[in-house]
Amino acid sequence: MSFADHKKFIDEGDTVILYCTVSKMYAIDVLSQIRNKKGDMIENVFQTDFGALKVKTLIGQQYGSKVELSKGWCFVLQATPELWTQTLPHRTQIIYTPDISMILFQLDIKPGSVVIESGTGSGSLSHYFIRAVKPTGHLHTFDFHEGRTQQARDEFKSHGIDNFVTVYHRDVCELGFKDELNGCADAVFLDLPAPQIAVPHALKALKDSGGRFCSFSPCIEQSQRCCEALALHGFVEIQSMEILQIEDVVKIKTIPVLDLEFVKHKVS
Ligand SMILES: C[S@@+](CC[C@H](N)C(=O)[O-])C[C@H]1O[C@@H](n2cnc3c(N)ncnc32)[C@H](O)[C@@H]1O
């Protein structure tokens, strides 16, 4: 129950982040015991690059504390969507924080929003949608891969955010979104190989009063096909954006300055 609200102390069952270095973080479930391959319950000892941690020692500790590992130390942090994106078990390609911040901004997601998403994938983006729509909004997320939908459901439940999300196992290109969602959505988001096929379904799902649509595409041809489908179905203000993180490079240049005193002297 660690994603739902801000917490001071760690409880058994929380998902926490072990922060060793900026590039070495681990998400772990705080379970005193786990089942081994033989099916027996054994003490849960988590291995990191900086040594082992007896997971039960985390229970009752304050979030943000420094924790001893057998060969070093780390900080134990409360999980956030940003930290989860960096540590989650990948089932698919995922969307990362820089793109996600633009997606949330452009879709105008806020508490109370109803959002439709497909595919769920590894649930990276879903966690941000859920945080943004809480406590009165809802995320409806669709994937045609059954294993991924079940894994996402299990994660949302163990993260204490399952009240704000419904996961559907469904091919949205072939079948569209659920009929009961027609006219319900403030925003539809697609991360699919052929998003243009789902555009008419997205139109049905959006509120009659208007709504926003966004599709994430790793290649320009996909993006072009989607833009064409959007224009065909009457969408307006269609834009393509790319989020690039660029480091500012400061160069020092000396520019010769005109000596006005010298020029004045020469002229007179
Ligand atoms: C790149 S992943 C999505 C990753 C997700 N945005 C994240 O940040 O974790 C794409 C997902 O779309 C699903 N998918 C592809 N075609 C689909 C379709 N027609 N209907 C439903 N899901 C589909 C795949 O199974 C896959 O899980």
Short mmCIF file of all heavy atoms in Angstrom, two decimals, residues 18 27 43 53 57 69 92 104 107-108 111 117-118 120 140 170 188 217:
data_model
loop_
_atom_site.label_atom_id
_atom_site.label_comp_id
_atom_site.label_asym_id
_atom_site.label_seq_id
_atom_site.Cartn_x
_atom_site.Cartn_y
_atom_site.Cartn_z
N LEU A 18 14.97 0.76 -2.93
CA LEU A 18 16.30 0.83 -2.31
C LEU A 18 17.16 1.67 -3.24
O LEU A 18 17.40 1.30 -4.39
CB LEU A 18 16.92 -0.56 -2.17
CG LEU A 18 16.17 -1.56 -1.31
CD1 LEU A 18 16.95 -2.88 -1.24
CD2 LEU A 18 15.91 -1.03 0.09
N ALA A 27 13.40 -1.94 -6.76
CA ALA A 27 12.06 -1.92 -6.14
C ALA A 27 11.88 -3.27 -5.47
O ALA A 27 12.10 -4.31 -6.10
CB ALA A 27 11.00 -1.73 -7.21
N GLU A 43 13.22 -17.07 5.02
CA GLU A 43 13.47 -15.64 5.28
C GLU A 43 13.81 -14.93 3.96
O GLU A 43 14.55 -15.47 3.14
CB GLU A 43 14.63 -15.48 6.28
CG GLU A 43 14.84 -14.03 6.59
CD GLU A 43 15.85 -13.77 7.69
OE1 GLU A 43 16.64 -14.67 8.04
OE2 GLU A 43 15.83 -12.63 8.19
N LEU A 53 20.38 -7.73 2.13
CA LEU A 53 19.51 -7.03 3.08
C LEU A 53 18.46 -8.01 3.58
O LEU A 53 17.78 -8.66 2.78
CB LEU A 53 18.80 -5.86 2.36
CG LEU A 53 17.69 -5.19 3.15
CD1 LEU A 53 18.25 -4.34 4.28
CD2 LEU A 53 16.82 -4.34 2.24
N THR A 57 13.99 -6.29 8.27
CA THR A 57 14.55 -5.19 9.08
C THR A 57 14.01 -3.82 8.64
O THR A 57 14.19 -2.83 9.33
CB THR A 57 16.10 -5.16 9.01
OG1 THR A 57 16.48 -4.95 7.64
CG2 THR A 57 16.72 -6.45 9.50
N LEU A 69 23.57 -2.48 4.40
CA LEU A 69 23.62 -3.71 3.61
C LEU A 69 24.87 -4.45 4.05
O LEU A 69 25.72 -3.84 4.72
CB LEU A 69 23.69 -3.37 2.12
CG LEU A 69 22.56 -2.48 1.59
CD1 LEU A 69 22.87 -1.97 0.18
CD2 LEU A 69 21.25 -3.26 1.59
N THR A 92 7.56 -5.05 -21.54
CA THR A 92 7.49 -4.43 -22.87
C THR A 92 8.44 -3.22 -22.86
O THR A 92 9.01 -2.89 -21.83
CB THR A 92 6.08 -3.85 -23.10
OG1 THR A 92 5.81 -2.88 -22.07
CG2 THR A 92 5.00 -4.91 -23.09
N LEU A 104 0.87 14.04 -19.93
CA LEU A 104 -0.10 14.45 -18.90
C LEU A 104 -0.51 15.90 -19.10
O LEU A 104 -1.68 16.26 -18.95
CB LEU A 104 0.50 14.28 -17.49
CG LEU A 104 0.82 12.86 -17.06
CD1 LEU A 104 1.50 12.87 -15.69
CD2 LEU A 104 -0.43 12.01 -16.99
N LEU A 107 -2.67 16.25 -22.39
CA LEU A 107 -4.01 15.64 -22.23
C LEU A 107 -4.83 16.32 -21.14
O LEU A 107 -5.98 15.99 -20.94
CB LEU A 107 -3.87 14.14 -21.92
CG LEU A 107 -3.43 13.25 -23.08
CD1 LEU A 107 -3.29 11.79 -22.62
CD2 LEU A 107 -4.42 13.32 -24.24
N ASP A 108 -4.18 17.26 -20.44
CA ASP A 108 -4.88 18.04 -19.39
C ASP A 108 -5.48 17.11 -18.33
O ASP A 108 -6.65 17.24 -17.95
CB ASP A 108 -5.97 18.90 -20.06
CG ASP A 108 -6.49 19.98 -19.13
OD1 ASP A 108 -5.75 20.34 -18.19
OD2 ASP A 108 -7.62 20.45 -19.32
N PRO A 111 -7.21 15.66 -11.23
CA PRO A 111 -8.08 14.85 -10.36
C PRO A 111 -9.51 14.86 -10.91
O PRO A 111 -10.02 15.91 -11.27
CB PRO A 111 -7.99 15.57 -9.01
CG PRO A 111 -6.65 16.23 -9.04
CD PRO A 111 -6.42 16.64 -10.46
N GLU A 117 -6.61 4.13 -21.76
CA GLU A 117 -5.24 3.90 -22.22
C GLU A 117 -5.15 2.52 -22.88
O GLU A 117 -5.76 1.57 -22.42
CB GLU A 117 -4.32 3.90 -20.98
CG GLU A 117 -2.89 3.50 -21.26
CD GLU A 117 -2.09 3.16 -20.00
OE1 GLU A 117 -2.64 2.60 -19.03
OE2 GLU A 117 -0.89 3.43 -20.01
N SER A 118 -4.36 2.43 -23.95
CA SER A 118 -4.03 1.12 -24.51
C SER A 118 -2.71 1.24 -25.29
O SER A 118 -2.52 2.25 -26.00
CB SER A 118 -5.12 0.63 -25.45
OG SER A 118 -4.82 -0.69 -25.86
N THR A 120 -1.62 -1.38 -22.02
CA THR A 120 -1.15 -1.25 -20.64
C THR A 120 0.35 -1.51 -20.55
O THR A 120 1.07 -0.84 -19.80
CB THR A 120 -1.88 -2.28 -19.75
OG1 THR A 120 -3.27 -2.25 -20.06
CG2 THR A 120 -1.64 -2.04 -18.29
N HIS A 140 -9.04 3.55 -17.31
CA HIS A 140 -9.46 2.29 -17.94
C HIS A 140 -8.33 1.91 -18.88
O HIS A 140 -8.07 2.64 -19.85
CB HIS A 140 -10.77 2.48 -18.71
CG HIS A 140 -11.91 2.91 -17.84
ND1 HIS A 140 -12.71 2.01 -17.17
CD2 HIS A 140 -12.34 4.15 -17.52
CE1 HIS A 140 -13.62 2.69 -16.47
NE2 HIS A 140 -13.42 3.98 -16.66
N ARG A 170 -8.31 -7.09 -23.92
CA ARG A 170 -9.13 -6.85 -25.11
C ARG A 170 -8.27 -6.28 -26.24
O ARG A 170 -7.36 -5.48 -26.00
CB ARG A 170 -10.20 -5.83 -24.74
CG ARG A 170 -11.27 -5.59 -25.76
CD ARG A 170 -12.30 -4.69 -25.09
NE ARG A 170 -13.30 -4.16 -26.00
CZ ARG A 170 -14.49 -4.72 -26.20
NH1 ARG A 170 -14.82 -5.84 -25.57
NH2 ARG A 170 -15.34 -4.16 -27.03
N VAL A 188 -8.01 10.05 -24.28
CA VAL A 188 -7.65 8.69 -24.73
C VAL A 188 -6.18 8.74 -25.11
O VAL A 188 -5.73 9.64 -25.82
CB VAL A 188 -8.49 8.26 -25.96
CG1 VAL A 188 -7.99 6.93 -26.50
CG2 VAL A 188 -9.97 8.15 -25.59
N SER A 217 4.32 7.34 -30.60
CA SER A 217 4.86 6.51 -31.69
C SER A 217 6.37 6.63 -31.75
O SER A 217 6.90 7.75 -31.76
CB SER A 217 4.29 6.97 -33.03
OG SER A 217 2.92 6.73 -33.06
#
